[in-house]
Amino acid sequence: MTYKINVHSHTPSVKIGTNEIYASEKSNNRIVGQPTKLDEWSYAVKSKLNGQGILIIDVGNLTERIVEQVIKSGMLNEIQQLSIRISYGDPKSGIKYLSALKHLRKLFEAGFRIYWSRPEWSGILPNNKNRTSCVYLDMVYNVCRGLLKTGLNKEYSMQQIIADRGQLRIPEDMEIVKFPPEQRYALYVRYLTSTQIHCKEVIRLGHMTDGGWNVCHDKLYKPAFPCLAYSFGMKRSDFRRGDHIWFHNLGISDKTSKKGTWNVSTLEDILHNLNHSFRRVDILKMDVEAMEWQSFPNIIKTGALANVRQMLIEFHTESASLEQLRTLRDIYSEGFRIFWYHRNPAAVNLRQGKFVQNTVCYEVYFVRV
Protein backbone atom coordinates (compact mmCIF):
# COMPACT_ATOMS: atom_id res chain seq x y z
CA MET A 1 0.00 0.00 0.00
CA THR A 2 1.33 3.44 -0.96
CA TYR A 3 0.32 6.65 0.80
CA LYS A 4 0.68 9.95 -1.03
CA ILE A 5 0.22 13.10 1.01
CA ASN A 6 1.55 16.63 0.94
CA VAL A 7 2.78 17.72 4.36
CA HIS A 8 3.28 21.41 5.18
CA SER A 9 4.89 22.22 8.51
CA HIS A 10 4.86 25.63 10.20
CA THR A 11 6.30 26.83 13.49
CA PRO A 12 4.89 29.81 15.45
CA SER A 13 6.82 32.39 17.43
CA VAL A 14 6.09 35.62 19.27
CA LYS A 15 7.83 38.66 17.82
CA ILE A 16 10.27 40.17 20.30
CA GLY A 17 8.96 43.34 21.89
CA THR A 18 5.36 42.64 20.81
CA ASN A 19 2.58 40.18 21.53
CA GLU A 20 2.13 39.30 17.86
CA ILE A 21 2.38 35.68 16.68
CA TYR A 22 4.17 34.93 13.43
CA ALA A 23 4.24 31.62 11.55
CA SER A 24 7.24 30.37 9.59
CA GLU A 25 7.27 27.48 7.14
CA LYS A 26 9.62 24.58 7.89
CA SER A 27 11.28 22.13 5.55
CA ASN A 28 13.60 19.36 6.78
CA ASN A 29 13.46 20.96 10.23
CA ARG A 30 14.73 24.27 8.90
CA ILE A 31 12.92 27.59 8.61
CA VAL A 32 12.35 28.65 5.00
CA GLY A 33 10.99 31.96 3.75
CA GLN A 34 9.88 34.94 5.80
CA PRO A 35 7.68 34.80 8.92
CA THR A 36 4.03 35.72 8.34
CA LYS A 37 1.57 37.28 10.77
CA LEU A 38 -0.76 34.67 12.20
CA ASP A 39 -3.94 36.11 10.66
CA GLU A 40 -2.32 36.38 7.23
CA TRP A 41 -0.93 32.86 7.58
CA SER A 42 -4.33 31.36 8.47
CA TYR A 43 -6.10 32.92 5.48
CA ALA A 44 -3.26 31.90 3.13
CA VAL A 45 -3.40 28.28 4.35
CA LYS A 46 -7.19 28.25 4.07
CA SER A 47 -7.01 29.23 0.41
CA LYS A 48 -4.86 26.17 -0.36
CA LEU A 49 -7.04 23.58 1.41
CA ASN A 50 -9.49 21.35 -0.46
CA GLY A 51 -11.83 20.31 2.35
CA GLN A 52 -10.17 16.94 2.93
CA GLY A 53 -7.02 17.98 4.76
CA ILE A 54 -5.75 17.27 8.27
CA LEU A 55 -4.72 20.06 10.61
CA ILE A 56 -2.42 19.21 13.53
CA ILE A 57 -1.86 21.84 16.22
CA ASP A 58 0.97 21.13 18.67
CA VAL A 59 2.33 24.53 19.71
CA GLY A 60 2.73 24.49 23.48
CA ASN A 61 1.60 27.61 25.31
CA LEU A 62 0.47 29.29 22.06
CA THR A 63 -2.30 26.71 21.57
CA GLU A 64 -5.12 28.86 22.92
CA ARG A 65 -4.39 31.83 20.66
CA ILE A 66 -3.76 29.75 17.54
CA VAL A 67 -6.95 27.69 17.98
CA GLU A 68 -8.84 30.96 18.38
CA GLN A 69 -7.42 32.22 15.07
CA VAL A 70 -8.15 28.94 13.30
CA ILE A 71 -11.79 29.20 14.37
CA LYS A 72 -12.00 32.90 13.46
CA SER A 73 -10.44 32.51 10.00
CA GLY A 74 -12.84 29.81 8.81
CA MET A 75 -10.06 27.23 8.28
CA LEU A 76 -12.35 24.68 9.90
CA ASN A 77 -14.59 24.81 6.83
CA GLU A 78 -11.77 23.40 4.72
CA ILE A 79 -10.47 20.47 6.77
CA GLN A 80 -11.72 16.95 7.48
CA GLN A 81 -9.69 16.02 10.56
CA LEU A 82 -8.31 18.08 13.41
CA SER A 83 -5.77 17.00 16.04
CA ILE A 84 -4.92 19.34 18.92
CA ARG A 85 -2.48 19.03 21.78
CA ILE A 86 -4.49 20.88 24.42
CA SER A 87 -1.87 22.59 26.56
CA TYR A 88 -3.75 25.63 27.82
CA GLY A 89 -2.32 26.68 31.18
CA ASP A 90 1.05 25.72 32.60
CA PRO A 91 2.85 22.64 33.95
CA LYS A 92 2.20 23.63 37.59
CA SER A 93 -1.53 24.39 37.60
CA GLY A 94 -2.69 22.24 34.69
CA ILE A 95 -5.15 22.95 31.89
CA LYS A 96 -7.26 26.10 31.97
CA TYR A 97 -10.50 24.20 31.57
CA LEU A 98 -12.82 27.17 30.97
CA SER A 99 -10.72 28.39 28.04
CA ALA A 100 -10.41 24.89 26.61
CA LEU A 101 -14.14 24.17 26.99
CA LYS A 102 -15.00 27.43 25.23
CA HIS A 103 -13.03 26.39 22.17
CA LEU A 104 -14.24 22.78 22.30
CA ARG A 105 -17.83 24.03 22.24
CA LYS A 106 -17.06 26.12 19.16
CA LEU A 107 -15.40 23.14 17.48
CA PHE A 108 -18.45 21.01 18.25
CA GLU A 109 -20.76 23.67 16.82
CA ALA A 110 -18.57 23.71 13.70
CA GLY A 111 -19.30 20.01 13.21
CA PHE A 112 -16.20 18.35 14.69
CA ARG A 113 -16.55 15.29 16.88
CA ILE A 114 -13.90 13.79 19.19
CA TYR A 115 -13.09 10.20 18.30
CA TRP A 116 -9.99 9.78 20.48
CA SER A 117 -8.21 11.40 23.42
CA ARG A 118 -5.01 10.75 25.32
CA PRO A 119 -3.68 12.45 28.44
CA GLU A 120 0.00 13.25 28.14
CA TRP A 121 2.02 11.41 30.78
CA SER A 122 4.92 13.87 30.59
CA GLY A 123 2.55 16.67 31.60
CA ILE A 124 1.38 15.09 34.88
CA LEU A 125 1.41 17.66 37.67
CA PRO A 126 4.11 17.10 40.32
CA ASN A 127 1.61 17.73 43.14
CA ASN A 128 -1.33 15.84 41.63
CA LYS A 129 -0.72 12.55 39.80
CA ASN A 130 -4.33 12.46 38.57
CA ARG A 131 -4.08 15.67 36.51
CA THR A 132 -2.07 16.65 33.48
CA SER A 133 -1.27 19.95 31.79
CA CYS A 134 -1.67 18.39 28.36
CA VAL A 135 -4.25 16.24 26.52
CA TYR A 136 -4.21 15.11 22.89
CA LEU A 137 -7.59 15.31 21.14
CA ASP A 138 -8.35 13.85 17.70
CA MET A 139 -11.49 15.03 15.90
CA VAL A 140 -13.21 14.40 12.62
CA TYR A 141 -15.83 16.44 10.77
CA ASN A 142 -19.17 14.66 11.07
CA VAL A 143 -19.60 14.06 7.32
CA CYS A 144 -17.25 13.64 4.37
CA ARG A 145 -16.58 17.11 2.96
CA GLY A 146 -15.57 15.68 -0.40
CA LEU A 147 -19.05 14.23 -0.84
CA LEU A 148 -20.68 17.42 0.38
CA LYS A 149 -19.12 19.25 -2.54
CA THR A 150 -20.30 16.64 -5.05
CA GLY A 151 -23.86 16.55 -3.73
CA LEU A 152 -23.66 12.78 -3.12
CA ASN A 153 -23.69 13.01 0.65
CA LYS A 154 -27.36 12.06 1.13
CA GLU A 155 -26.96 8.88 -0.91
CA TYR A 156 -23.63 8.09 0.75
CA SER A 157 -25.01 8.58 4.27
CA MET A 158 -27.26 5.53 3.98
CA GLN A 159 -24.46 3.48 2.44
CA GLN A 160 -22.17 4.57 5.25
CA ILE A 161 -24.71 3.59 7.90
CA ILE A 162 -25.00 0.13 6.37
CA ALA A 163 -21.23 -0.25 6.07
CA ASP A 164 -20.60 0.96 9.61
CA ARG A 165 -22.69 -1.89 10.97
CA GLY A 166 -19.84 -4.17 9.99
CA GLN A 167 -16.86 -4.59 12.30
CA LEU A 168 -13.42 -5.99 11.78
CA ARG A 169 -13.70 -9.68 12.62
CA ILE A 170 -11.19 -12.43 13.25
CA PRO A 171 -11.69 -14.99 10.45
CA GLU A 172 -12.15 -18.72 10.97
CA ASP A 173 -9.15 -20.96 11.63
CA MET A 174 -9.06 -22.32 8.07
CA GLU A 175 -8.38 -18.77 6.84
CA ILE A 176 -5.93 -17.76 9.58
CA VAL A 177 -3.63 -20.74 8.92
CA LYS A 178 -3.07 -19.38 5.41
CA PHE A 179 -1.68 -16.11 6.76
CA PRO A 180 2.08 -15.61 7.04
CA PRO A 181 3.28 -14.50 10.52
CA GLU A 182 3.46 -10.80 9.64
CA GLN A 183 -0.13 -10.83 8.34
CA ARG A 184 -1.37 -12.54 11.50
CA TYR A 185 0.34 -9.92 13.64
CA ALA A 186 -1.02 -7.08 11.50
CA LEU A 187 -4.52 -8.49 11.96
CA TYR A 188 -3.93 -8.77 15.72
CA VAL A 189 -2.82 -5.12 16.05
CA ARG A 190 -5.56 -3.81 13.80
CA TYR A 191 -8.21 -5.76 15.68
CA LEU A 192 -7.14 -4.59 19.13
CA THR A 193 -6.96 -0.97 17.95
CA SER A 194 -10.39 -0.92 16.27
CA THR A 195 -13.18 0.18 18.59
CA GLN A 196 -16.40 -1.79 18.08
CA ILE A 197 -18.84 0.18 20.21
CA HIS A 198 -19.05 3.81 21.30
CA CYS A 199 -18.89 4.63 25.00
CA LYS A 200 -19.81 8.28 25.54
CA GLU A 201 -18.26 8.63 29.00
CA VAL A 202 -14.93 6.92 29.57
CA ILE A 203 -13.41 7.60 32.98
CA ARG A 204 -9.99 6.62 34.25
CA LEU A 205 -9.68 5.05 37.67
CA GLY A 206 -6.36 5.16 39.48
CA HIS A 207 -3.21 6.81 38.17
CA MET A 208 -3.12 8.50 34.79
CA THR A 209 0.04 6.54 33.99
CA ASP A 210 0.64 2.80 34.11
CA GLY A 211 -1.60 1.28 36.77
CA GLY A 212 -4.71 3.31 35.98
CA TRP A 213 -7.54 1.74 34.00
CA ASN A 214 -10.47 3.11 31.96
CA VAL A 215 -14.10 2.22 32.62
CA CYS A 216 -17.21 2.83 30.52
CA HIS A 217 -19.51 4.93 32.69
CA ASP A 218 -22.51 5.03 30.34
CA LYS A 219 -25.78 4.25 32.10
CA LEU A 220 -26.14 0.89 30.38
CA TYR A 221 -22.72 -0.37 31.46
CA LYS A 222 -21.50 1.51 34.54
CA PRO A 223 -20.95 -0.50 37.72
CA ALA A 224 -24.01 -0.79 39.94
CA PHE A 225 -23.94 -0.28 43.70
CA PRO A 226 -22.78 -2.35 45.46
CA CYS A 227 -20.40 -3.31 42.69
CA LEU A 228 -18.20 -6.37 42.37
CA ALA A 229 -14.81 -6.08 40.69
CA TYR A 230 -12.06 -8.64 40.19
CA SER A 231 -8.49 -7.45 39.60
CA PHE A 232 -5.67 -9.84 38.70
CA GLY A 233 -2.11 -8.60 38.51
CA MET A 234 -0.31 -8.25 41.86
CA LYS A 235 1.73 -10.47 44.12
CA ARG A 236 1.08 -9.77 47.80
CA SER A 237 0.21 -11.77 50.89
CA ASP A 238 -3.47 -12.06 51.75
CA PHE A 239 -4.77 -8.89 53.37
CA ARG A 240 -7.86 -6.73 53.68
CA ARG A 241 -7.23 -3.30 52.19
CA GLY A 242 -10.55 -1.72 53.15
CA ASP A 243 -14.09 -2.41 54.26
CA HIS A 244 -14.96 -3.78 50.83
CA ILE A 245 -11.54 -4.54 49.31
CA TRP A 246 -9.77 -7.86 49.79
CA PHE A 247 -6.52 -9.14 48.32
CA HIS A 248 -6.02 -12.87 47.82
CA ASN A 249 -2.57 -14.22 47.03
CA LEU A 250 -3.93 -16.24 44.13
CA GLY A 251 -3.16 -16.11 40.42
CA ILE A 252 -5.33 -16.83 37.38
CA SER A 253 -4.63 -19.85 35.17
CA ASP A 254 -6.28 -22.62 33.18
CA LYS A 255 -6.24 -25.04 36.12
CA THR A 256 -6.29 -24.89 39.90
CA SER A 257 -2.80 -25.92 41.01
CA LYS A 258 0.62 -24.70 42.08
CA LYS A 259 2.67 -22.82 39.47
CA GLY A 260 6.16 -22.22 40.78
CA THR A 261 5.72 -20.10 43.92
CA TRP A 262 2.20 -19.11 42.88
CA ASN A 263 -1.07 -20.63 43.93
CA VAL A 264 -3.19 -20.40 40.79
CA SER A 265 -6.80 -21.18 40.01
CA THR A 266 -9.37 -21.00 37.25
CA LEU A 267 -11.80 -18.12 37.26
CA GLU A 268 -14.65 -20.61 37.59
CA ASP A 269 -13.19 -22.03 40.81
CA ILE A 270 -12.42 -18.58 42.23
CA LEU A 271 -16.00 -17.42 41.65
CA HIS A 272 -17.31 -20.60 43.26
CA ASN A 273 -15.02 -20.40 46.32
CA LEU A 274 -15.95 -16.76 46.97
CA ASN A 275 -19.68 -17.43 46.48
CA HIS A 276 -19.79 -15.20 43.40
CA SER A 277 -20.82 -17.78 40.80
CA PHE A 278 -24.25 -16.22 40.34
CA ARG A 279 -23.39 -12.60 41.11
CA ARG A 280 -22.97 -9.89 38.51
CA VAL A 281 -19.27 -9.07 38.08
CA ASP A 282 -19.16 -5.41 37.08
CA ILE A 283 -15.47 -5.34 36.17
CA LEU A 284 -12.91 -8.05 35.42
CA LYS A 285 -9.43 -6.54 35.16
CA MET A 286 -6.42 -8.64 34.18
CA ASP A 287 -2.76 -7.70 33.76
CA VAL A 288 -0.97 -11.02 34.22
CA GLU A 289 2.08 -10.82 31.95
CA ALA A 290 0.94 -13.13 29.11
CA MET A 291 -0.91 -15.62 31.36
CA GLU A 292 -4.11 -14.23 29.81
CA TRP A 293 -3.49 -16.41 26.75
CA GLN A 294 -3.28 -19.55 28.88
CA SER A 295 -6.24 -18.59 31.07
CA PHE A 296 -8.85 -17.36 28.59
CA PRO A 297 -9.62 -20.60 26.72
CA ASN A 298 -10.63 -22.16 30.06
CA ILE A 299 -12.51 -19.02 31.15
CA ILE A 300 -14.58 -19.13 27.98
CA LYS A 301 -15.06 -22.90 27.92
CA THR A 302 -16.38 -23.01 31.51
CA GLY A 303 -18.79 -20.11 31.02
CA ALA A 304 -17.08 -18.04 33.73
CA LEU A 305 -17.77 -14.82 31.78
CA ALA A 306 -21.54 -15.27 31.90
CA ASN A 307 -22.10 -12.53 34.50
CA VAL A 308 -19.21 -10.22 33.59
CA ARG A 309 -20.19 -6.73 32.34
CA GLN A 310 -16.82 -5.10 31.57
CA MET A 311 -13.36 -6.54 30.94
CA LEU A 312 -10.10 -4.59 31.14
CA ILE A 313 -7.31 -6.76 29.76
CA GLU A 314 -3.66 -6.11 28.96
CA PHE A 315 -2.59 -8.42 26.14
CA HIS A 316 1.10 -9.27 25.84
CA THR A 317 2.75 -10.63 22.69
CA GLU A 318 5.27 -9.75 19.99
CA SER A 319 3.61 -12.00 17.44
CA ALA A 320 0.17 -13.50 16.96
CA SER A 321 -0.49 -17.22 16.91
CA LEU A 322 -3.57 -19.04 15.64
CA GLU A 323 -4.52 -19.77 19.26
CA GLN A 324 -4.26 -16.12 20.29
CA LEU A 325 -6.39 -14.91 17.38
CA ARG A 326 -8.90 -17.66 18.16
CA THR A 327 -9.11 -16.38 21.75
CA LEU A 328 -9.91 -12.86 20.55
CA ARG A 329 -12.58 -14.29 18.23
CA ASP A 330 -14.08 -16.28 21.11
CA ILE A 331 -14.22 -13.16 23.30
CA TYR A 332 -16.17 -11.44 20.53
CA SER A 333 -18.50 -14.45 20.27
CA GLU A 334 -19.12 -14.18 24.02
CA GLY A 335 -20.69 -10.77 23.33
CA PHE A 336 -17.81 -8.47 24.30
CA ARG A 337 -17.02 -5.38 22.22
CA ILE A 338 -13.98 -3.10 22.38
CA PHE A 339 -14.83 0.46 23.47
CA TRP A 340 -11.28 1.69 24.15
CA TYR A 341 -7.66 0.67 23.87
CA HIS A 342 -4.30 2.01 25.00
CA ARG A 343 -0.83 1.31 23.69
CA ASN A 344 1.56 0.93 26.61
CA PRO A 345 4.17 3.58 25.69
CA ALA A 346 7.04 2.38 27.88
CA ALA A 347 10.13 2.43 25.68
CA VAL A 348 10.97 -1.20 26.44
CA ASN A 349 7.62 -2.25 24.96
CA LEU A 350 7.70 -0.25 21.72
CA ARG A 351 8.30 -1.81 18.32
CA GLN A 352 8.57 0.25 15.14
CA GLY A 353 6.13 -0.79 12.43
CA LYS A 354 6.05 0.35 8.82
CA PHE A 355 4.03 3.50 9.49
CA VAL A 356 3.35 3.52 13.24
CA GLN A 357 4.86 2.30 16.45
CA ASN A 358 3.37 -0.84 17.96
CA THR A 359 3.77 -2.14 21.48
CA VAL A 360 4.00 -5.59 22.98
CA CYS A 361 1.41 -4.53 25.62
CA TYR A 362 -2.07 -3.41 24.59
CA GLU A 363 -4.63 -2.47 27.23
CA VAL A 364 -8.02 -3.35 25.71
CA TYR A 365 -11.37 -2.44 27.20
CA PHE A 366 -14.57 -4.41 26.57
CA VAL A 367 -18.25 -4.13 27.45
CA ARG A 368 -20.77 -6.93 27.08
CA VAL A 369 -23.53 -5.99 24.65
Side-chain angles (χ1 to χ4, degrees):
M1 181 180 293
T2 302
Y3 290 89
K4 293 183 179 180
I5 186 169
N6 294 319
V7 178
H8 300 277
S9 179
H10 304 263
T11 187
S13 60
V14 177
K15 187 176 181 180
I16 298 175
T18 73
N19 197 34
E20 293 182 328
I21 297 178
Y22 281 72
S24 303
E25 188 169 0
K26 291 177 66 177
S27 178
N28 296 323
N29 293 319
R30 297 179 62 183
I31 301 295
V32 295
Q34 296 298 315
T36 306
K37 283 187 176 182
L38 183 62
D39 57 347
E40 297 175 2
W41 166 84
S42 61
Y43 289 109
V45 171
K46 176 187 173 184
S47 67
K48 298 177 182 179
L49 297 172
N50 62 3
Q52 300 180 53
I54 301 171
L55 177 63
I56 301 173
I57 300 176
D58 184 359
V59 291
N61 60 8
L62 295 179
T63 303
E64 184 175 355
R65 293 177 62 187
I66 288 180
V67 170
E68 182 67 33
Q69 179 60 34
V70 165
I71 294 172
K72 177 182 175 182
S73 69
M75 285 179 66
L76 295 177
N77 297 327
E78 300 297 332
I79 61 174
Q80 186 68 47
Q81 294 192 46
L82 176 64
S83 294
I84 305 177
R85 184 177 184 263
I86 296 288
S87 50
Y88 299 20
D90 61 72
K92 292 184 178 180
S93 61
I95 295 171
K96 294 194 298 183
Y97 290 107
L98 288 179
S99 299
L101 289 171
K102 179 185 71 173
H103 282 154
L104 290 175
R105 181 179 62 195
K106 289 183 179 179
L107 294 172
F108 182 88
E109 292 170 349
F112 285 86
R113 301 294 182 263
I114 296 172
Y115 66 88
W116 201 251
S117 65
R118 180 172 64 86
E120 176 55 50
W121 289 10
S122 65
I124 291 176
L125 306 188
N127 59 346
N128 188 343
K129 300 300 182 183
N130 296 321
R131 288 190 61 187
T132 179
S133 61
C134 173
V135 175
Y136 289 89
L137 295 178
D138 297 310
M139 293 170 257
V140 64
Y141 191 66
N142 58 9
V143 294
C144 177
R145 290 195 186 277
L147 292 172
L148 280 175
K149 292 184 176 182
T150 63
L152 297 176
N153 189 63
K154 184 177 293 186
E155 177 185 349
Y156 174 76
S157 295
M158 183 53 66
Q159 295 174 351
Q160 187 180 40
I161 289 171
I162 294 172
D164 286 348
R165 290 174 183 166
Q167 298 166 347
L168 178 64
R169 302 285 294 273
I170 303 294
E172 296 299 320
D173 290 0
M174 63 179 66
E175 293 297 321
I176 296 176
V177 295
K178 300 176 184 177
F179 296 169
E182 61 273 14
Q183 188 175 353
R184 288 200 303 268
Y185 184 68
L187 173 62
Y188 166 82
V189 171
R190 188 179 168 211
Y191 184 82
L192 293 187
T193 57
S194 298
T195 54
Q196 299 163 338
I197 192 169
H198 178 56
C199 177
K200 293 181 179 179
E201 186 178 5
V202 178
I203 62 174
R204 189 162 183 86
L205 302 178
H207 287 168
M208 196 171 293
T209 56
D210 199 24
W213 291 80
N214 294 335
V215 173
C216 180
H217 207 246
D218 289 2
K219 184 177 180 180
L220 188 61
Y221 304 110
K222 68 180 181 180
F225 181 83
C227 70
L228 177 61
Y230 272 70
S231 177
F232 294 94
M234 297 170 61
K235 188 174 183 181
R236 294 279 301 274
S237 300
D238 289 1
F239 76 102
R240 185 169 181 173
R241 185 173 179 179
D243 291 342
H244 304 287
I245 305 175
W246 291 264
F247 181 81
H248 303 276
N249 189 15
L250 183 65
I252 187 81
S253 186
D254 59 339
K255 60 181 67 175
T256 299
S257 62
K258 190 86 171 177
K259 193 175 183 68
T261 60
W262 279 88
N263 293 315
V264 295
S265 185
T266 65
L267 181 59
E268 180 188 36
D269 285 347
I270 294 172
L271 291 169
H272 174 76
N273 293 335
L274 295 177
N275 295 318
H276 293 154
S277 295
F278 301 102
R279 274 199 61 180
R280 166 174 164 158
V281 179
D282 294 279
I283 295 172
L284 171 62
K285 170 258 174 181
M286 193 183 298
D287 181 3
V288 289
E289 309 306 321
M291 277 298 293
E292 66 275 6
W293 300 116
Q294 185 173 329
S295 304
F296 257 105
N298 173 270
I299 291 173
I300 293 169
K301 180 181 178 181
T302 59
L305 294 178
N307 297 318
V308 175
R309 298 293 294 151
Q310 295 194 43
M311 291 198 306
L312 324 176
I313 312 295
E314 183 163 79
F315 292 103
H316 307 75
T317 189
E318 294 193 52
S319 59
S321 67
L322 169 63
E323 291 74 18
Q324 289 169 335
L325 291 173
R326 182 189 296 145
T327 294
L328 295 178
R329 187 180 64 220
D330 290 343
I331 290 173
Y332 184 95
S333 298
E334 283 288 313
F336 288 94
R337 301 293 181 265
I338 298 170
F339 71 87
W340 201 260
Y341 69 88
H342 172 69
R343 294 180 174 94
N344 188 312
V348 69
N349 296 325
L350 296 178
R351 303 291 185 272
Q352 185 61 50
K354 188 173 182 180
F355 297 109
V356 298
Q357 279 188 325
N358 297 317
T359 177
V360 299
C361 304
Y362 282 93
E363 295 174 13
V364 185
Y365 302 83
F366 303 85
V367 292
R368 179 188 287 281
V369 296

